[in-house]
Amino acid sequence: MTSVANSEPSGQAQAGFLRDVIDTEGLALVYQPKFSVATGAACGVEVLARWPGPRSAKLWQQPDHFIRCAEQQGLAPKLDCHVLSKALGQISQWPAWLRLNLEPVSVNVSASSVGNEGFLRSVKRILSSTLHPRIMFELTETAPLDNTEQAIKAFKDLARYGVEVSLDDFGQGHNQPSRMELFQARELKIDKKDTAGIDSHAGRRHVQELIGLARKAGLRVTAEGVECREQWQLLQALGCDYAQGFWLSPPLPSAATVEFVQQHSPEILKPGVSSPLYDPRQLWSGLAMRQHYG
């Protein structure tokens, strides 16, 4: 019996498929809204990349895998620039009021990219060629920095274009406290595993420590992976600034993001209302959305 691992293409072959997708039809993009914990208002989106076409059961076509492959095979700068350029193109078609109010637009960026001089030139070209909302680069935790000096220079240069830095999945992988000051980060993101553990005393204390660390450094805090009202209320009590997760809204295609924000109301977060923020009668069920876009 052939194992799943043996039936998958080699890393080099996967990189070739990924390069072909980027150069032809492009990756599919979805947008997960971010919400103010204080008001319940949608106040930003995170751009997420997906393999195009019907969702495949192939493991290597899932985001965690093809992004890791891009980092290992030297494709991260190409992938990150592709996502940024395509996202700005789609967002430019959104209503003006939405572009003005739904920011920052967060784009995941690998440490493998920010240490690359070609990446910096490409990002400057992209940002110079189009009007764009405020951009936040979420520095992912999965790769080490091969060129710290170049990364520092890159973020300083990009700050002139209104680009801010967020540390994704803080405390995981390579995103440790030293990166906060090094890159003049403006946001710290709490990993979904930490959010999931917030119902325990130890987990709640850990999240409280992360928020306290961010406060001392003057950073905003976003919690990922909010799956229920109880987590939302605990984050409110701990003073978290923003949150995202399936209970609030799953990642949505561009047109559905516009429709969702038009229909969204903070009323859903008042006591006694137990439904998620998206209305399954007007979009489609959260389960179906999770299957298609999660």
Side-chain angles (χ1 to χ4, degrees):
M1 182 176 180
T2 304
S3 68
V4 174
N6 290 336
S7 64
E8 291 181 356
S10 66
Q12 188 174 3
Q14 290 176 33
F17 293 137
L18 179 58
R19 186 182 293 105
D20 289 344
V21 166
I22 292 173
D23 288 340
T24 54
E25 61 186 305
L27 291 164
L29 301 184
V30 289
Y31 301 82
Q32 185 166 40
K34 179 192 293 187
F35 298 86
S36 165
V37 175
T39 68
C43 55
V45 290
E46 179 181 359
V47 184
L48 300 167
R50 300 290 186 260
W51 201 269
R55 182 160 179 162
S56 173
K58 295 176 182 177
L59 188 62
W60 62 273
Q61 291 179 324
Q62 305 313 308
D64 286 349
H65 290 266
F66 70 69
I67 291 171
R68 188 179 303 114
C69 173
E71 290 178 331
Q72 294 171 346
Q73 300 292 326
L75 274 180
K78 184 180 182 71
L79 170 62
D80 292 341
C81 286
H82 166 69
V83 171
L84 175 64
S85 179
K86 186 169 183 177
L88 292 182
Q90 292 183 348
I91 290 169
S92 70
Q93 303 303 311
W94 292 2
W97 66 266
L98 183 60
R99 298 197 305 271
L100 290 172
N101 290 283
L102 201 61
E103 60 175 14
V105 173
S106 297
V107 180
N108 289 287
V109 172
S110 171
S112 301
S113 297
V114 296
N116 182 287
E117 291 187 10
F119 172 76
L120 178 59
R121 289 194 298 271
S122 295
V123 170
K124 286 181 177 180
R125 175 180 49 77
I126 293 167
L127 295 180
S128 298
S129 63
T130 181
L131 294 174
H132 58 83
R134 185 159 51 92
I135 302 296
M136 180 170 283
F137 277 172
E138 292 191 13
L139 184 63
T140 57
E141 78 290 356
T142 51
L145 279 166
D146 295 326
N147 190 334
T148 302
E149 290 185 4
Q150 172 60 30
I152 293 171
K153 178 182 181 298
F155 284 134
K156 283 184 177 179
D157 284 353
L158 292 175
R160 300 189 185 100
Y161 293 78
V163 176
E164 297 179 335
V165 180
S166 171
L167 298 179
D168 195 22
D169 297 341
F170 187 76
Q172 308 292 323
H174 296 277
N175 273 348
Q176 300 301 319
S178 61
R179 284 189 173 183
M180 290 194 299
E181 185 175 358
L182 193 62
F183 302 125
Q184 298 182 336
R186 300 296 299 274
E187 179 189 64
L188 177 157
K189 296 197 79 173
I190 296 174
D191 183 68
K192 60 184 178 182
K193 294 191 290 292
D194 292 326
T195 300
I198 200 173
D199 57 342
S200 71
H201 177 72
R204 195 155 50 249
R205 183 172 180 176
H206 177 60
V207 170
Q208 187 174 27
E209 289 173 349
L210 291 175
I211 293 174
L213 184 65
R215 287 286 175 268
K216 288 181 181 178
L219 276 64
R220 301 184 293 269
V221 183
T222 295
E224 296 183 304
V226 176
E227 297 285 351
C228 63
R229 171 174 290 277
E230 290 71 26
Q231 291 173 349
W232 173 268
Q233 292 174 329
L234 286 169
L235 290 168
Q236 282 182 319
L238 293 174
C240 187
D241 298 304
Y242 306 104
Q244 60 189 110
F246 272 89
W247 182 73
L248 298 161
S249 170
L252 302 166
S254 179
T257 302
V258 175
E259 182 179 358
F260 169 82
V261 176
Q262 288 174 330
Q263 296 175 355
H264 168 254
S265 169
E267 294 289 319
I268 201 75
L269 295 176
K270 291 184 177 179
V273 181
S274 59
S275 301
L277 289 181
Y278 58 87
D279 185 345
R281 294 168 298 177
Q282 297 191 26
L283 292 175
W284 48 88
S285 74
L287 176 59
M289 292 170 113
R290 183 189 296 267
Q291 291 171 341
H292 281 279
Y293 303 112

